[in-house]
Amino acid sequence: RAQAESGGQVHYFRPEMQEAVRHRVQLEEALKVAIGNDELAVWFQPQVRLTDGTIDAMEALVRWHHPEWGMISPGEFIPVAEQTGQVVAIGDWVLEEALRQMSEWRDAGYQLPRLAVNVAAAQLQRPDWPERVEAALERWSIPPAALELEITEASLLASPNEARAALVRLKEMGVRQAIDDFGTGYSSLAYLKEFPVDTLKIDKAFVDGLPGAEHDHSITEAILAVAGALGQQVVAEGVETTKQADWLREHHVDWAQGFLYYRPMPATELMACLDPTRTT
Ligand code: C2E
Ligand code: MG
Ligand code: MG
Ligand code: MG
């Protein structure tokens, strides 16, 4: 049993805590070489129009394939990368790779849906973040309106002044912004009117309870009312059943993302779902 003394306090570390620390350090070390070793990939998950299933957007989701450990989910390594600051380099890489892929599809004559990319708090806090996004869009000749940045409530509120400045600048450029996992963060509704947000993504936690659970109904209806009043679009996340889709459709939700429609998939598989506009 390890023991450490700091400031007169004695902390006892349980073996499982040491194990967790070791695991974190291992992940951190492995992440340092992941980009250089070509271990990261961007997968895509379509967002569909609930009325007819048309793919209107696709979310870029990072995947990490470690040579020994296999697939590690972003749910596991992104929080570590957020703590170490590595999430900035990962985020840069994801944006670049997703735009590169978009540009490749465009060149091949595909009708492209909008691209949604997740942004971490540390990225948003960089003073040159909007310019970086602008430069990446120009590099790949992608129109700003084809990009939607997904930001969580916690990231916005981590340093609200910087975040607001960045969002206003991006909005001027024509880049769209979404609040990810809406309703699970601090959820002060006041901030919604201060940030130029185009889309609210209703978190899977609420969608899970549709159509049965009364509270999830009420919360989802409240989110829809707020979005409607503020002129924001709504995407329901984690839609897995036709009953959920029916409920959302009846409540005039426009878009859904979930395993009922598509799972996240590699670029080559996604291409088969896109509309070729060129027939030659
Ligand atoms: P998120 O941005 O909220 O992404 C949605 C997550 O829900 C994805 O998990 C997706 O695979 C999953 N999902 C979608 N539909 C369903 C469904 O019907 N059922 C279930 N059970 N899950 C569904 P994924 O890809 O594992 O990513 C987890 C989280 O990791 C993301 O949540 C996001 O917060 C973070 N993440 C992923 N890629 C990036 C990235 O490039 N940058 C940053 N900063 N974070 C990322
Ligand atoms: Mg997201
Ligand atoms: Mg989400
Ligand atoms: Mg999430």
Side-chain angles (χ1 to χ4, degrees), residues 29-259:
E29 286 302 312
L31 265 179
K32 284 182 187 161
V33 296
I35 294 178
N37 288 354
D38 212 17
E39 292 167 14
L40 298 187
V42 175
W43 283 22
F44 297 91
Q45 184 182 30
Q47 293 173 5
V48 305
R49 214 180 293 166
L50 271 157
T51 46
D52 60 6
T54 307
I55 298 177
D56 276 343
M58 55 194 176
E59 179 173 3
L61 293 160
V62 68
R63 292 292 178 266
W64 180 18
H65 190 269
H66 187 274
E68 284 167 46
W69 308 332
M71 275 290 213
I72 303 164
S73 102
E76 190 174 347
F77 72 84
I78 289 289
V80 173
E82 277 172 345
Q83 283 175 28
T84 61
Q86 291 166 309
V87 78
V88 171
I90 293 172
D92 280 349
W93 183 86
V94 168
L95 178 65
E96 193 72 16
E97 173 60 15
L99 290 174
R100 186 200 63 74
Q101 190 59 66
M102 287 271 280
S103 139
E104 192 180 308
W105 284 325
R106 249 163 83 111
D107 291 349
Y110 284 88
Q111 179 76 49
L112 285 188
R114 180 187 307 144
L115 174 71
V117 176
N118 293 287
V119 177
Q123 289 178 279
L124 201 58
Q125 283 163 18
R126 286 200 294 193
D128 62 345
W129 167 243
E131 284 67 39
R132 281 172 178 272
V133 173
E134 189 169 39
L137 287 166
E138 276 169 12
R139 234 177 346 264
W140 298 106
S141 308
I142 303 294
L147 179 65
E148 183 161 272
L149 300 175
E150 296 195 358
I151 303 160
T152 62
E153 293 161 294
S155 296
L156 285 181
L157 299 179
S159 58
N161 293 331
E162 283 86 346
R164 190 181 306 109
L167 263 59
V168 166
R169 176 78 192 88
L170 286 158
K171 181 80 187 173
E172 285 166 2
M173 281 161 44
V175 173
R176 298 171 56 90
Q177 3 238 355
I179 309 255
D180 205 350
D181 308 342
F182 187 75
T184 61
Y186 295 93
S187 298
S188 152
L189 293 179
Y191 77 82
L192 274 183
K193 62 172 191 194
E194 293 181 36
F195 294 100
V197 170
D198 302 282
T199 304
L200 301 183
K201 296 189 79 177
I202 303 180
D203 195 71
K204 179 177 184 298
F206 306 119
V207 174
D208 277 346
L210 304 175
E214 197 186 318
H215 286 114
D216 291 330
H217 275 191
S218 312
I219 291 171
T220 306
E221 280 169 6
I223 294 174
L224 295 176
V226 169
L230 296 174
Q232 287 150 346
Q233 298 187 334
V234 173
V235 178
E237 286 194 273
V239 178
E240 292 182 344
T241 69
T242 50
K243 281 190 174 158
Q244 291 167 340
D246 290 343
W247 189 96
L248 292 163
R249 214 176 284 114
E250 279 160 23
H251 288 75
H252 310 290
V253 174
D254 294 319
W255 288 279
Q257 179 179 349
F259 294 175

